[in-house]
Amino acid sequence: MTYRILGPGAGERGVSRTPDLVMTDYGVLLALCLAWFMATDFPGWRLERISFTKHLPGLLGLASFALAWVATQMAPKPLPSGAIRLNLPWILLAAFIIAGSVAARVFLDTRNTFLIAGMYMLWAPVMTFVLLSTRQPERLLRYLAGFMILGGILVLLEIAWGYGTRDIQHEKQFLLVPLALYFVLRPERRAIHWLGALSFLVMAPLLRKNTAYLMGLLTLSYFVTADQLPRWTKLDPLKRAVRLYGLLLFVMCAGALIAYLVWNRDKYLPTGNPQFRLFTYARAWERFLESPLWGTGFSAAGTEKFTEFNTGVANNILATHSDVLDMFANGGLVAIFLWLWGLLRSAKFIWNAALRPGVKSTSLTRYVHLFGCISIGGVLTYAFIPIFLQPARAMLLWAALGVAIGVAALIQRDQAGLGGRN
């Protein structure tokens, strides 16, 4: 099934001639930048853990979204509902989580619920709507990516300054390492672009976390798949063979390095704390087996008391450390179905609308790659690290997916407009 999503006035105007963003666009942009600042937290202010500030980005973004929604409904040609339908799995899953969490608070007096997970999941459809309704999507994306890169540079300096002395930027790797793609997925690449990409790729070993290494491998693999392989099809056989030989050498060297690190994992790799994880994973799986269809209905507490040993963190009241297993335990097969449906539906649409070989690459394409890679990295991260219950990180996680869908829809709209004029 192919979706076609048209923005307000598409067909008459194409890309809007409005010279700048409107106030609602700036509101959403400010909310995302504030969430990025709080999630990376390079000053060490821990704003995400303060009750007064932790939901500030979400509230600011919600207010801007509400105003933008009203404006589109009052326009002569309001935004069609296609963008909402694309995000239907996330809306249904968020509604399931919110309903169970509200019921737990009202009827079971449970304060530590999954409400944050459900609320911030809605940032996927919100950002899809924002990208389709704004008159200057590319400018909005350029400002957002620019702020992310500036913040990423500050984080890189923080990592280098504190290397080997403290554990910093844990749980945030999926937001940082893929920024390398912004530099190398360009029509023209210069030395400064390769240097920028290398600067963000080097975060993977500097962070010294298993998920950081995964983000480095993901980003490199994504670059080869999205950029290098399509270029090879346009080369003559000799150049193609030379590049293939170079790729094989790189893979062999990378494989040897990985094997060396795994063999000497006690020296170079973190343990991942298997004693804690295996216990909490087993407990979550037992809850799933008790009610495999819908789990606890998200009426259980989001964190629990860990009793095996003293972790020295949060009075031993901790999350499962796998948002995927939390969905199994608390939402059962219903939640897992909606989650997988959402991932597959999003991936299929993004591929068909923007990334398949028949679609012409545009200036917007690299944003699909960037935020798509962040979304994939987010899935790999929250499979092993709890992200859903952390407001700023959850907001950025789902916003990235919504941006990828929205930009793909814009590319599809533009391609349809070009086809109609030919």
Side-chain angles (χ1 to χ4, degrees):
M1 182 180 295
T2 301
Y3 299 91
R4 177 164 296 175
I5 303 175
L6 301 178
E12 290 93 15
R13 290 195 305 262
V15 178
S16 172
R17 298 183 179 88
T18 302
D20 207 345
L21 302 174
V22 297
M23 290 305 298
T24 52
D25 297 330
Y26 281 116
V28 171
L29 180 63
L30 179 60
L32 292 172
C33 291
L34 184 57
W36 179 267
F37 177 81
M38 291 171 60
T40 54
D41 192 28
F42 55 86
W45 294 345
R46 298 182 178 270
L47 296 177
E48 198 179 15
R49 298 186 180 182
I50 301 174
S51 300
F52 181 74
T53 57
K54 66 180 182 180
H55 294 299
L56 187 59
L59 292 173
L60 175 60
L62 180 61
S64 300
F65 161 72
L67 291 174
W69 177 267
V70 171
T72 57
Q73 298 308 303
M74 295 174 63
K77 294 185 177 181
L79 188 73
S81 59
I84 303 300
R85 290 198 301 271
L86 277 173
N87 287 278
L88 181 61
W90 307 122
I91 295 173
L92 293 176
L93 181 54
F96 183 18
I97 297 172
I98 292 171
S101 300
V102 170
R105 288 198 174 195
V106 174
F107 300 109
L108 303 177
D109 197 28
T110 302
R111 295 295 146 192
N112 188 18
T113 66
F114 288 93
L115 185 60
I116 289 175
M119 290 172 56
Y120 284 93
M121 191 175 289
L122 293 173
W123 270 89
V126 164
M127 285 310 299
T128 300
F129 167 83
V130 168
L131 263 294
L132 289 170
S133 62
T134 181
R135 296 179 177 181
Q136 290 289 340
E138 189 167 358
R139 181 170 296 183
L140 178 65
L141 292 166
R142 187 164 61 247
Y143 288 168
L144 178 59
F147 185 88
M148 293 169 64
I149 290 168
L150 176 61
I153 292 173
L154 295 176
V155 169
L156 181 61
L157 295 175
E158 179 203 21
I159 294 170
W161 183 265
Y163 184 75
T165 61
R166 54 197 176 103
D167 181 20
I168 52 180
Q169 297 305 329
H170 186 40
E171 306 171 346
K172 309 159 194 175
Q173 300 92 326
F174 74 99
L175 296 171
L176 297 168
V177 181
L179 290 174
L181 295 175
Y182 183 81
F183 294 93
V184 292
L185 294 180
R186 304 174 64 93
E188 297 180 3
R189 289 189 288 255
R190 301 183 177 87
I192 189 66
H193 301 141
W194 291 108
L195 178 61
L198 182 62
S199 298
F200 285 97
L201 278 174
V202 81
M203 284 190 183
L206 286 180
L207 286 166
R208 300 192 302 173
K209 292 291 183 181
N210 291 325
T211 48
Y213 297 131
L214 285 176
M215 292 308 103
L217 290 174
L218 169 65
T219 304
L220 284 173
S221 301
Y222 198 105
F223 170 65
V224 170
T225 304
D227 184 84
Q228 294 299 296
L229 291 181
R231 290 174 183 266
W232 287 1
T233 60
K234 302 176 183 179
L235 298 175
D236 59 69
L238 179 59
K239 289 183 178 179
R240 195 180 307 164
V242 171
R243 291 206 176 188
L244 180 60
Y245 178 72
L247 177 62
L248 290 175
L249 285 179
F250 174 78
V251 171
M252 291 174 61
C253 292
L257 177 61
I258 293 171
Y260 176 78
L261 291 174
V262 172
W263 184 262
N264 297 277
R265 56 186 175 274
D266 294 340
K267 184 177 181 181
Y268 296 106
L269 298 177
T271 63
N273 200 356
Q275 298 88 350
F276 170 80
R277 290 180 182 275
L278 292 177
F279 179 82
T280 57
Y281 291 174
R283 190 164 56 184
W285 188 251
E286 288 171 1
R287 288 200 301 270
F288 165 70
L289 293 178
E290 291 173 0
S291 178
L293 186 57
W294 54 73
T296 67
F298 290 100
S299 62
T303 56
E304 293 182 305
K305 183 77 173 180
F306 181 72
T307 57
E308 290 298 289
F309 54 85
N310 183 19
T311 63
V313 178
N315 296 320
N316 265 28
I317 300 176
L318 302 166
T320 302
H321 271 59
S322 172
D323 289 325
V324 176
L325 277 176
D326 269 336
M327 283 191 287
F328 270 104
N330 295 283
L333 294 176
V334 173
I336 292 300
F337 168 76
L338 292 173
W339 174 64
L340 291 175
W341 181 30
L343 291 178
L344 294 175
R345 185 183 177 99
S346 302
K348 181 181 178 181
F349 173 75
I350 291 171
W351 170 258
N352 288 330
L355 301 183
R356 61 183 172 83
V359 178
K360 184 179 179 181
S361 180
T362 71
S363 59
L364 292 173
T365 303
R366 65 171 168 163
Y367 295 105
V368 181
H369 287 305
L370 172 61
F371 290 100
C373 187
I374 289 175
S375 299
I376 297 171
V379 174
L380 293 176
T381 300
Y382 67 68
F384 303 102
I385 296 174
I387 300 294
F388 285 7
L389 296 177
Q390 303 181 53
R393 274 161 262 193
M395 179 175 172
L396 294 170
L397 167 73
W398 295 110
L401 179 60
V403 168
I405 295 172
V407 179
L410 289 172
I411 292 174
Q412 185 190 61
R413 182 196 69 183
D414 293 343
Q415 294 288 329
L418 290 173
R421 288 193 294 269
N422 289 338

